[in-house]
Amino acid sequence: MFSYKTAFLIAQQKRPFTEGEAIIKPTLRNFCEVFEGEPFAKKITEAVDDATLNNNTMTRRFQCLAADLKEQILKDFRNSPWTALAVDESTDITSQPQLLIFGRFLKESSVAEELLACISLETTTRGEDIFSAIDKFFTENNLEWSKSLASKDMSPSFSDVMQVVIATVNYVKATDLNSRMFKQLCIAENFNHHTLLIRTAVRWLSRRKTLERVFLLRSELASFLHDRGHKNANCFRDPHFLARLALLTDVFEHVNKLNTELQGKGKWVCDLQCAVKAFVSKLTILREQAEADSFSHFHHYLEFTATMDVDFDETLDLTEEKQDLLEYLQNLTVNFSDRFPELPNESFDFVQ
């Protein structure tokens, strides 16, 4: 029991497991010297000598504690009536992709947030690879997808835009040479921004910034990719692709604002409900305005259309892009209805 408690304290303080044998046990032996000459000194010394704090033992203790803690978390996650997932993929110092799966669930009368798993991705890190890894983790640990809030693919055309953006950012940021060459191009063009923003730890919060930076640097990206014969060069010379990119950037700007309002601890449930309800109402308003050709809340799209005739020397028909936006907003509204089916009927007036 003593070795387990010691291992737990070492883990709590994030100290090396070798400290049990190298520091703690020698310290205890030094402490025993204080009781020399006392009748109980021998018992204390024997107890210290019997304490198993060697490296192999401490390793096993850590493994047991980790396994027990994982099982407790997964049990609470299984027993929760509702769960939510947040997923982050990044690379460690050895360039090995690591997938982190965070879970949010109800535990007794409060909402708990815990790290469920850290999974190494051996090959590619595409969306299907990440989904397969999560699905395998759910299957192995007897977890249910039906209780988890998961996003849906809402629009193929906008999804294609996102894939091109991610591939382009990854290409430019993949090597130091590409990053330096692109930076010099932006400097030569006297542009305010010189680098692209790669996806960060909290993807949904960073995705809008990534899209916005790509949109602002669209001309520089077109030249850079064209000089290197990259397959995505034509996308950034295609006005229809750029129109979708502008609209997607604006949509994610609104989603990002909602995400920010829902973050942090100490939030009242009535405030969170109001924020989600307001966003769903906003989606309806945005869709109605777009149907009426009013894009006052899509400022990146307005910026694009303002210079469209000059940049492409032609008047373009963007009816298809407008229809894609309407379908995307409608699917987003349905997505929120699926996520929060009881939202319209829940009332927290008594709390307010």
Side-chain angles (χ1 to χ4, degrees):
M1 182 60 69
F2 175 75
S3 61
Y4 277 104
K5 290 185 176 181
T6 304
F8 182 75
L9 291 174
I10 292 175
Q12 257 192 335
Q13 300 301 318
K14 301 177 183 178
R15 305 298 302 171
F17 68 89
T18 54
E19 288 193 356
E21 184 176 20
I23 296 178
I24 297 178
K25 192 156 187 175
T27 302
L28 290 174
R29 284 173 176 158
N30 291 337
F31 181 69
C32 290
E33 296 177 1
V34 176
F35 302 102
E36 285 186 1
E38 298 291 342
F40 52 83
K42 184 178 179 180
K43 287 186 177 181
I44 295 179
T45 304
E46 290 176 350
V48 170
D49 291 337
D50 291 340
T52 52
L53 301 180
N54 61 72
N55 296 341
N56 292 335
T57 300
M58 297 305 289
T59 300
R60 291 194 298 270
R61 298 294 184 263
F62 280 122
Q63 292 172 343
C64 290
L65 289 172
D68 182 69
L69 181 60
K70 177 182 177 181
E71 184 53 38
Q72 289 185 50
I73 293 174
L74 292 178
K75 182 179 179 181
D76 292 335
F77 191 81
R78 293 189 200 100
N79 294 336
S80 175
W82 301 286
T83 60
L85 294 178
V87 181
D88 173 42
E89 176 268 313
S90 59
T91 54
D92 56 25
I93 59 175
T94 64
S95 298
Q96 174 68 42
Q98 302 290 344
L99 178 66
L100 301 178
I101 306 175
F102 296 89
R104 177 179 289 182
F105 50 91
L106 290 178
K107 183 178 180 181
E108 297 176 353
S109 60
S110 62
V111 177
E113 297 180 8
E114 298 288 352
L115 174 64
L116 300 180
C118 178
I119 304 171
S120 294
L121 301 176
E122 301 300 332
T123 54
T124 56
T125 58
R126 298 168 300 177
E128 58 191 271
D129 301 314
I130 293 175
F131 175 79
S132 297
I134 300 174
D135 187 55
K136 182 180 178 182
F137 171 76
F138 267 54
T139 302
E140 291 176 346
N141 293 279
N142 194 28
L143 303 177
E144 298 179 20
W145 275 108
S146 59
K147 295 193 295 184
S148 297
L149 302 181
S151 60
K152 299 179 179 178
D153 188 6
M154 296 171 225
S155 173
S157 58
F158 278 8
S159 177
D160 292 341
V161 172
M162 180 61 74
Q163 292 300 321
V164 171
V165 169
I166 293 174
T168 301
V169 172
N170 287 344
Y171 174 73
V172 176
K173 305 288 285 187
T175 65
D176 292 338
L177 176 61
N178 280 356
S179 296
R180 291 196 302 270
M181 296 297 291
F182 184 70
K183 180 178 180 179
Q184 290 303 315
L185 174 63
C186 294
I187 293 175
E189 297 290 337
N190 293 320
F191 202 78
N192 293 332
H193 302 289
H194 301 153
T195 59
L196 296 175
L197 298 179
I198 202 164
R199 292 168 295 166
T200 58
V202 186
R203 286 188 175 184
W204 285 101
L205 294 181
S206 67
R207 190 167 291 184
R208 190 270 301 180
K209 296 180 180 178
T210 302
L211 284 168
E212 183 178 39
R213 184 63 60 86
V214 169
F215 175 77
L216 294 175
L217 294 172
R218 58 191 183 277
S219 298
E220 287 73 18
L221 282 169
S223 300
F224 182 82
L225 296 175
H226 177 74
D227 292 343
R228 283 153 183 78
H230 195 275
K231 63 180 181 179
N232 289 340
N234 292 333
C235 293
F236 290 92
R237 297 184 183 276
D238 179 6
H240 298 284
F241 171 85
L242 294 176
R244 287 188 172 94
L245 174 60
L247 290 170
L248 194 60
T249 302
D250 289 323
V251 171
F252 269 93
E253 185 171 338
H254 294 298
V255 175
N256 182 78
K257 184 177 180 181
L258 172 65
N259 260 320
T260 304
E261 291 177 356
L262 299 179
Q263 299 301 312
K265 297 182 178 180
K267 297 279 188 177
W268 286 91
V269 65
C270 51
D271 294 334
L272 299 178
Q273 183 201 45
C274 289
V276 176
K277 276 187 173 181
F279 182 76
V280 174
S281 299
K282 180 189 287 188
L283 290 176
T284 303
I285 295 173
L286 292 176
R287 194 171 187 278
E288 292 174 351
Q289 290 182 340
E291 285 181 329
D293 290 325
S294 175
F295 295 93
S296 57
H297 292 91
F298 297 85
H299 61 92
H300 290 96
Y301 180 73
L302 290 178
E303 177 187 338
F304 170 75
T305 55
T307 59
M308 187 171 57
D309 295 342
V310 177
D311 293 340
F312 300 99
D313 298 323
E314 59 178 319
T315 302
L316 299 172
D317 182 9
L318 299 179
T319 304
E320 185 177 346
E321 286 70 26
K322 172 185 169 182
Q323 187 60 38
D324 285 345
L325 173 65
L326 295 177
E327 292 178 3
Y328 193 85
L329 293 175
Q330 179 61 33
N331 290 334
L332 193 58
T333 304
V334 173
N335 183 267
F336 267 81
S337 298
D338 293 341
R339 286 172 178 265
F340 308 101
E342 299 178 359
L343 185 66
N345 301 323
E346 289 286 352
S347 174
F348 295 98
D349 293 340
F350 69 97
V351 178
Q352 295 172 312

